[in-house]
């Protein structure tokens, strides 16, 4: 008997995506000097190093590794208007451009973004049809900030929303849950499904990190979608226990109430203790825990159907260890890889007084749901 495996969707072309010259995320020019290399925080190196670590550890060999074709225009139109796609394609055929705030791209960027979205969509398709047990999509550029008519925060196409919309159209799904634990608010996914009950969106994020004006706990959806959007803004510095408490008090009960047919995870590793764009203090075992808790819920609720989509994470040295731990949990395959930062990260976690304060705030949020 052949046991269904965990899929890993990856395409080298996604790592060739690039934006305009930046120093971290500051555009080069004026008083901002050019960096030694590309300098852009949304670089391919964190993803490439994750895949390389998986190859060397033997984790890749335990997975069903696949690529995917570009997402078809008819599927893109389920989320993005034709004018947005046409403008993106036109600039891509030239020197590239910018589709919104912090969403630049070079020549050929449109096709690369369509591959990124195609990886996400095919990962969902393979899990929904039962071809794969669960799946991970190493999509780049990411997608959870992208709005229908504008790019935002490194995101050019709404990968997760596009994958969900295609699955709903093909398989008549009526309840899909999105858990977004990228450190930044999943504003794009929220906006796309804000008035709909067929997609429950849950975002765990550092309060007022990015976008600074979105992600409030009071934003619960609108119309038929009221109650189907859950924002969990977290105090900076929360660390591992904050994420465990948020899962226990808010996320897992919400999933139990909703009983989804599929769980999609928007997975950013930018909540890590050494990420340059956040202050949340998570470590590799945080990601292992988040994945295992989600899998346990999915086993009970939706026959284990989980698809993880790679979003942010800007520490080239540490993303590989966080991602490796998560994919080990997703696949059930443990390797010999050890996180060289784990013990120090545990020692640097916030004290008990802070943790009690954050838990009390989470308990208050939970009462409002």
């Amino acid at each position: 008997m052949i046991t269904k495996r965990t899929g890993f969707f990856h395409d080298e072309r996604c790592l060739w995506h690039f934006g305009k010259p930046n120093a971290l995320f500051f555009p080069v020019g004026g008083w901002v000097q050019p960096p030694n290399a590309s300098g852009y925080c949304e670089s391919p190196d964190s993803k490439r190093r994750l895949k390389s670590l998986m190859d060397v550890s033997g984790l890749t060999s335990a997975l069903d590794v696949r690529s995917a074709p570009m997402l078809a225009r008819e599927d893109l139109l389920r989320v993005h208007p034709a004018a947005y796609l046409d403008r993106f394609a036109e600039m891509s055929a030239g020197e590239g451009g910018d589709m919104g705030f912090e969403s630049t791209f070079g020549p050929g960027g449109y096709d690369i973004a369509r591959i990124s979205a195609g990886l996400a969509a095919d990962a969902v398709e393979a899990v929904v049809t039962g071809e794969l047990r669960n799946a991970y999509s190493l999509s780049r550029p990411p997608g959870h900030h992208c709005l229908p008519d504008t790019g935002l925060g490194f995101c050019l196409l709404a990968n997760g929303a596009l994958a969900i919309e295609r699955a709903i159209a093909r398989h008549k799904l009526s309840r899909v849950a999105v858990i977004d634990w990228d450190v930044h608010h999943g504003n794009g996914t929220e906006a796309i499904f804000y008035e709909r009950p067929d997609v429950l969106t849950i975002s765990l994020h550092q309060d007022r990190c990015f976008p600074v004006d979105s992600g409030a706990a009071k934003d619960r959806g609108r119309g038929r979608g009221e109650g189907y959007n859950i924002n969990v803004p977290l105090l900076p510095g929360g660390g591992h226990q904050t994420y465990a408490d948020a899962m226990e008090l808010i996320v897992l009960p919400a999933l139990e109430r909703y009983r989804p047919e599929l769980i999609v995870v928007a997975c950013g590793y930018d909540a890590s203790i050494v990420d340059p764009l956040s202050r949340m203090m998570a470590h590799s075992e945080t990601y292992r825990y988040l994945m295992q808790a989600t899998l346990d819920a999915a086993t009970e609720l939706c026959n284990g159907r989980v698809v993880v989509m790679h979003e942010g994470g800007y520490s080239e040295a540490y993303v590989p260890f966080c991602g490796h731990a998560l994919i080990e949990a997703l696949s059930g395959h443990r390797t010999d890889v050890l996180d060289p930062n784990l013990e120090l990260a545990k020692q640097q976690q916030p004290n008990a007084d802070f943790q009690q304060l954050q838990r009390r705030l989470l308990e208050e949020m939970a009462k409002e749901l």
Side-chain angles (χ1 to χ4, degrees):
M1 178 179 178
I2 299 176
T3 303
K4 285 188 290 186
R5 304 173 76 190
T6 292
F8 185 80
F9 288 74
H10 165 65
D11 194 297
E12 173 65 24
R13 289 172 290 182
C14 287
L15 304 184
W16 288 42
H17 163 67
F18 66 98
K20 293 181 179 178
N22 279 259
L24 195 59
F25 60 90
F26 306 117
V28 170
W31 297 109
V32 180
Q33 304 174 55
N36 290 332
S38 66
Y40 201 27
C41 52
E42 205 296 289
S43 80
D45 294 326
S46 60
K47 292 84 175 170
R48 182 172 282 125
R49 288 167 66 105
L50 168 58
K51 177 61 164 56
S52 297
L53 180 61
M54 293 167 56
D55 292 346
V56 172
S57 73
L59 181 56
T60 302
S61 63
L63 309 175
D64 188 333
V65 180
R66 307 181 180 190
S67 184
M70 299 177 193
L71 195 62
R73 182 177 173 89
E74 64 186 73
D75 294 317
L76 296 173
L77 288 168
R78 300 185 195 279
V79 171
H80 299 290
Y84 177 82
L85 299 175
D86 292 343
R87 184 163 60 92
F88 192 177
E90 182 179 358
M91 286 192 287
S92 177
E95 296 182 356
D98 193 339
M99 296 305 294
F101 180 74
E102 291 291 349
S103 54
T104 65
F105 61 96
Y110 177 60
D111 285 349
I112 294 174
R114 288 175 61 200
I115 295 170
S116 183
L119 294 171
D122 275 20
V124 167
E125 179 72 12
V127 171
V128 169
T129 60
E131 185 181 344
L132 293 170
R133 182 178 65 215
N134 51 46
Y136 189 101
S137 175
L138 191 63
S139 296
R140 180 176 181 268
H144 75 142
H145 291 311
C146 192
L147 297 162
D149 60 355
T150 186
L152 182 69
F154 316 141
C155 301
L156 295 160
L157 294 174
N159 299 332
L162 288 163
I164 290 167
E165 289 284 42
R166 192 177 78 169
I168 289 173
R170 288 185 176 184
H171 303 290
K172 311 304 179 187
L173 301 180
S174 59
R175 296 184 312 281
V176 178
V178 179
I179 309 172
D180 187 329
W181 58 58
D182 186 284
V183 81
H184 306 109
H185 176 229
N187 65 292
T189 312
E190 174 186 278
I192 291 164
F193 298 115
Y194 201 64
E195 299 184 14
R196 290 169 48 175
D198 57 340
V199 181
L200 170 68
T201 51
I202 307 172
S203 178
L204 310 179
H205 49 271
Q206 180 182 320
D207 191 24
R208 296 182 174 274
C209 187
F210 182 86
V212 296
D213 58 351
S214 69
K218 64 178 178 59
D219 297 335
R220 297 293 319 286
R222 184 185 303 116
R224 294 180 64 236
E226 186 172 356
Y228 294 96
N229 184 74
I230 299 174
N231 284 323
V232 189
L234 303 171
L235 296 175
H240 177 90
Q241 192 58 47
T242 286
Y243 282 91
D245 288 345
M247 291 293 285
E248 172 199 341
L249 295 170
I250 296 178
V251 178
L252 297 178
L255 293 176
E256 178 67 31
R257 292 191 299 269
Y258 190 65
R259 305 198 71 80
E261 300 161 292
L262 168 72
I263 297 174
V264 172
V265 176
C267 178
Y269 300 104
D270 37 12
S272 87
I273 193 165
V274 292
D275 197 273
L277 298 192
S278 76
R279 304 292 180 268
M280 282 310 297
M281 306 289 285
H283 50 65
S284 60
E285 288 303 304
T286 308
Y287 290 99
R288 191 187 303 276
Y289 160 78
L290 289 169
M291 190 73 263
Q292 191 60 59
T294 302
L295 286 173
D296 292 345
T299 298
E300 176 187 345
L301 298 171
C302 55
N303 199 30
R305 296 200 291 190
V306 175
V307 178
V308 182
M309 299 176 188
H310 196 111
E311 293 286 350
Y314 308 100
S315 172
E316 296 173 10
Y318 201 48
V319 163
F321 293 99
C322 295
H324 197 276
L326 184 144
I327 296 169
E328 283 185 334
L330 182 66
S331 65
H333 183 81
R334 196 69 181 256
T335 72
D336 295 331
V337 169
L338 298 175
D339 174 358
N341 189 52
L342 183 58
E343 290 310 310
L344 177 60
K346 288 181 176 179
Q347 294 171 27
Q348 293 174 324
Q349 294 297 294
N351 61 35
D353 290 340
F354 179 97
Q355 291 175 3
Q356 290 171 8
L357 169 61
Q358 177 65 92
R359 184 176 176 90
R360 187 164 66 251
L361 294 174
L362 288 167
E363 289 171 343
E364 292 173 3
M365 288 184 219
K367 290 176 183 177
E368 299 298 321
L369 300 177

